[in-house]
Amino acid sequence: IDGAENWVKFKGGLPTISFRDLAIQKRESDLVAASFGRGFFVLDDYSFLRELSEQNIEKEAQVFIPREGLWYFQNHPIGGGKKGSQGASLYSAENPDFGVTLTYYIKEEVKSKKALRQEKEKELRKKKQDLMVPDWDELEQEMSEIKTRFWMSIINHKGEILRKLPLKNKKGLQRTTWDLRTESIRPILTVDKWTENSSGQMVAPGNYSAVLLKEDQGKLSILTDTIHFIVKKLWEPTLPSA
C-alpha cells in the first residue's frame, strides 16, 4: 500500500513454499497461484486489495464492496453432502461458499479482562518475576464481563435489518458469508449452526447493503460506512419467473 516500500505477509492458509506461477482471472478478480509440489491455490475475489490504503488501515474497521451475489437453489448430489459419494475415483474441489462473501478489516482485537491479565502474567513469567494470585472479586468481574463482539448487519432496500452475522473479534482481514437468508425463525432454541443458518427465509434478488457494528457492554455502535451490493439470478429461464 506504500509503493512496495514495505511488504506484509498474506496468510489465509498458504503453506511456506515457493510459488512458480500466478494467473489472474480478470472477470471474477480471482488470483490463481501454482506452487512447487503442493498444487494450485485460488484466492477468490482479491478486489478488496485495491481499496486498501494507509488511511483505511488506520480506521477502527472497514467493510469492502463484495462482488455480486448469485441467487439460485443449491443442488444436492447423489449421496448427500457437497460432492456426493461415488467411490474413490470421484474428485471435485469445493465450490466457494454460497451467498455473498464479505471481506472486512478490524484494526485491533478487543481483549477481555481475563486475556489482559493472562498477558500480564505471561510477561512476568518471561522476566522470572513473582505472580500475584487474583482475588475473588477480580475473578468474578472476569466471569461476569460482557465481552465485546462484532456484527455484520445485512439490510434490504427498505432499510430493514434482515440478518446480523457474528464476526470474529480478531485483528486483520477476515471474511464472512451471508447465505441469502433472513434471521433464524428459531432464535431461542439451542440448535447446531447448519440448522440455525438454514431456518430463515431465502431473500429475493435485489439491492442490499451491509455495515459493521461493535457491541461493547451491550451497546451497539456503527464502525463503518454502509456498502451496497446486488444479489442477482444465476440465469433467467425461458419463461419469466415470478
Side-chain angles (χ1 to χ4, degrees):
I1 60 174
D2 55 9
E5 289 292 329
N6 296 283
W7 291 77
V8 179
K9 184 176 180 180
F10 194 82
K11 298 179 182 179
L14 289 176
T16 304
I17 195 169
S18 63
F19 284 83
R20 300 301 180 91
D21 197 13
L22 298 174
I24 291 175
Q25 213 288 352
K26 292 183 179 180
R27 186 193 66 197
E28 302 294 336
S29 292
D30 289 345
L31 177 64
V32 185
S35 71
F36 183 71
R38 298 285 186 93
F40 289 87
F41 296 83
V42 182
L43 172 60
D44 295 317
D45 189 14
Y46 68 86
S47 62
F48 67 91
L49 293 173
R50 299 191 185 106
E51 297 182 56
L52 281 180
S53 66
E54 293 185 50
Q55 294 76 24
N56 287 338
I57 62 172
E58 291 303 317
K59 296 179 181 178
E60 189 173 357
Q62 184 180 4
V63 183
F64 303 95
I65 300 173
R67 59 187 176 191
E68 295 176 337
L70 297 178
W71 186 92
Y72 59 92
F73 289 96
Q74 298 182 80
N75 184 31
H76 297 283
I78 297 173
K82 294 182 179 179
K83 296 183 288 188
S85 177
Q86 298 295 301
S89 61
L90 175 70
Y91 173 79
S92 62
E94 290 187 9
N95 287 325
D97 292 333
F98 172 74
V100 177
T101 297
L102 296 148
T103 304
Y104 62 95
Y105 168 79
I106 294 176
K107 185 178 179 181
E108 292 293 341
E109 174 186 349
V110 181
K111 296 180 180 179
S112 64
K113 292 179 180 178
K114 181 179 180 180
L116 291 172
R117 172 177 61 81
Q118 290 175 337
E119 280 188 359
K120 186 177 179 181
E121 291 174 349
K122 188 176 180 181
E123 288 298 319
L124 291 173
R125 287 194 195 95
K126 285 183 179 179
K127 297 176 182 178
K128 296 184 178 181
Q129 296 180 2
D130 293 335
L131 298 179
M132 297 297 294
V133 178
D135 57 36
W136 285 111
D137 290 338
E138 186 179 350
L139 292 175
E140 189 174 359
Q141 288 177 9
E142 289 180 4
M143 289 187 290
S144 61
E145 180 185 13
I146 301 176
K147 295 181 180 179
T148 300
R149 304 177 69 183
F150 293 92
W151 301 89
M152 186 80 72
S153 282
I154 306 298
I155 306 163
N156 64 11
H157 67 284
K158 298 179 181 179
E160 300 168 337
I161 297 176
L162 301 178
R163 186 80 172 271
K164 277 175 58 184
L165 303 172
L167 305 179
K168 296 177 181 178
N169 179 10
K170 187 177 179 181
K171 76 178 216 177
L173 290 163
Q174 312 289 335
R175 275 183 166 167
T176 187
T177 300
W178 175 42
D179 60 0
L180 307 185
R181 292 187 177 273
T182 60
E183 207 65 72
S184 170
I185 60 174
R186 294 187 289 270
I188 305 301
L189 297 180
T190 303
V191 294
D192 61 77
K193 186 177 180 181
W194 185 89
T195 306
E196 182 182 6
N197 288 349
S198 303
S199 65
Q201 299 294 323
M202 191 170 178
V203 302
N207 297 311
Y208 296 89
S209 56
V211 65
L212 196 149
L213 306 172
K214 178 181 179 181
E215 183 182 354
D216 188 19
Q217 298 297 317
K219 295 182 179 180
L220 285 171
S221 59
I222 298 174
L223 294 186
T224 65
D225 296 331
T226 301
I227 56 105
H228 303 276
F229 57 90
I230 297 172
V231 174
K232 67 177 184 179
K233 295 179 185 178
L234 178 63
W235 63 286
E236 286 287 351
T238 305
L239 297 176
S241 57

